[in-house]
Amino acid sequence: MPFEPGKVINRRYLRGPWCTWVQPMRVIADNEDGLLLWHSAGSDFARLVDADGKTQHEVTVDQMRDPKLTVLTWQTYDILVLMPPQAAYSVWWFFRDGTFDGWYVNLETPYRRQPDGVDTNDLVLDIVVTPDRQWEWKDVDELNERIGNALYFDRATADAVRAEGERLIKLVTAGDFPFDGTYTDFRPDQRWPMLRLPATLDPQPGLAD
């Protein structure tokens, strides 16, 4: 069943038995174009951090020492996130002080619905796009370092992730949807409160397939 506009759901990243990221998001729309979500600066999010203060960007999850989901404050940018149906990516619109400030393409597995939100698996590689559609890869080295780890992906999967990114870059350079100016004038309802998470979250909630 679609989520009702206005409902607050959790967008999660999973990695094996671990939940590595939780972000409460307000539903803007849930239809044939995808799940459109909003998260404002100053709201909560949580990421997996180990006892040494390291995150997934620095060490693989299986090498983390006593990892915990740590609640933090989202800084600087409001974000609008589109998760198209059955797509291996999401597109983020960044807004700073109400002004559109660029796109972010997060390569990830197609999302899976849960009663309280959606689960996906981050595929590490990302693309940063400026408002004038200049783009660059992000986390290429991290992608390469994760190849062969059973919790991440093999070479064929990594190549498929890169190919999907290259397909999306063609949309960027052509100025095709979703990089055609759609949603760049989005304005949230000023009455919406900041989004909050519980102070304690289970890093192994048993949600992974």
Side-chain angles (χ1 to χ4, degrees):
M1 293 292 293
F3 295 114
E4 289 293 326
K7 181 179 177 64
V8 176
I9 65 172
N10 289 321
R11 176 177 141 86
R12 286 178 290 258
Y13 291 141
L14 306 180
R15 179 72 60 196
W18 289 277
C19 180
T20 62
W21 178 278
V22 184
Q23 195 161 22
M25 312 285 288
R26 188 174 302 277
V27 177
I28 304 303
D30 188 7
N31 52 38
E32 64 277 4
D33 293 329
L35 185 56
L36 188 64
L37 306 169
W38 175 258
H39 184 93
S40 56
S43 292
D44 291 348
F45 76 105
R47 71 188 314 170
L48 201 65
V49 180
D50 76 2
D52 302 311
K54 294 180 179 178
T55 71
Q56 273 200 102
H57 289 295
E58 299 160 286
V59 63
T60 57
V61 174
D62 53 315
Q63 296 299 312
M64 283 184 158
R65 187 168 68 88
D66 190 24
K68 290 182 171 58
L69 272 171
T70 303
V71 177
L72 304 165
T73 300
W74 188 257
Q75 302 287 340
T76 309
Y77 295 102
D78 301 322
I79 56 171
L80 190 68
V81 176
L82 177 66
M83 304 178 74
Q86 302 304 312
Y89 66 91
S90 61
V91 177
W92 305 19
W93 285 254
F94 278 65
F95 297 86
R96 185 165 188 165
D97 299 325
T99 300
F100 174 66
D101 202 47
W103 296 271
Y104 188 88
V105 179
N106 199 84
L107 281 302
E108 58 193 38
T109 59
Y111 67 84
R112 304 173 295 282
R113 290 179 184 267
Q114 302 291 345
D116 67 336
V118 291
D119 299 338
T120 180
N121 301 81
D122 183 48
L123 295 173
V124 179
L125 189 64
D126 306 305
I127 306 164
V128 178
V129 185
T130 66
D132 61 354
R133 300 184 183 85
Q134 301 300 305
W135 62 270
E136 64 179 3
W137 293 108
K138 181 175 178 290
D139 298 331
V140 174
D141 290 343
E142 185 179 337
L143 175 79
N144 293 330
E145 290 167 1
R146 301 298 183 258
I147 295 172
N149 185 306
L151 284 172
Y152 291 81
F153 27 70
D154 56 19
R155 170 61 69 180
T157 302
D159 288 347
V161 172
R162 178 90 181 205
E164 178 67 356
E166 290 171 347
R167 184 188 72 82
L168 291 163
I169 287 168
K170 291 178 181 178
L171 299 182
V172 171
T173 57
D176 290 340
F177 180 83
F179 309 101
D180 59 351
T182 301
Y183 300 133
T184 56
D185 60 351
F186 181 83
R187 295 294 182 270
D189 188 324
Q190 296 301 311
R191 296 171 296 179
W192 290 343
M194 297 295 176
L195 302 171
R196 300 302 180 203
L197 287 168
T200 303
L201 296 165
D202 184 359
Q204 293 185 290
L207 293 173
D209 294 338

